[in-house]
Amino acid sequence: MMEYEQEVKSRLAEAINSSAMSLAELSRRTEIPYTTIQEYARGVMPTAARLGLLCRALGVSADGILGLDDK
């Protein structure tokens, strides 16, 4: 379970860090505090609701971040 969680956090951090959008803009679009966005960019796991907001703003699928489209 820990390995899966690490993979999810890593995929989310990569999506955030590879986005052309700044962390400040991502914070503005999602209404998630900037400092919290910074934590997610470093690999902290968001709640399911925030994961959905982040995926929508970043234009990535939650299935992709969760590794469900790898199967």
Side-chain angles (χ1 to χ4, degrees):
M1 185 66 156
M2 292 290 279
E3 184 177 326
Y4 173 72
E5 187 174 320
Q6 278 302 119
E7 290 172 3
V8 171
K9 291 188 290 189
S10 177
R11 284 191 288 270
L12 177 60
E14 184 175 333
I16 291 170
N17 292 318
S18 66
S19 172
M21 190 182 323
S22 70
L23 298 184
E25 178 64 13
L26 184 57
S27 173
R28 188 189 69 71
R29 288 187 186 192
T30 60
E31 298 182 356
I32 297 172
Y34 178 80
T35 54
T36 304
I37 298 287
Q38 287 178 311
E39 291 175 4
Y40 298 153
R42 288 192 296 265
V44 172
M45 180 73 88
T47 63
R50 284 190 169 173
L51 178 61
L53 291 171
L54 291 164
C55 288
R56 185 176 299 145
L58 292 167
V60 298
S61 76
D63 282 355
I65 296 296
L66 295 172
L68 301 176
D69 63 356
D70 293 344
K71 299 184 184 326

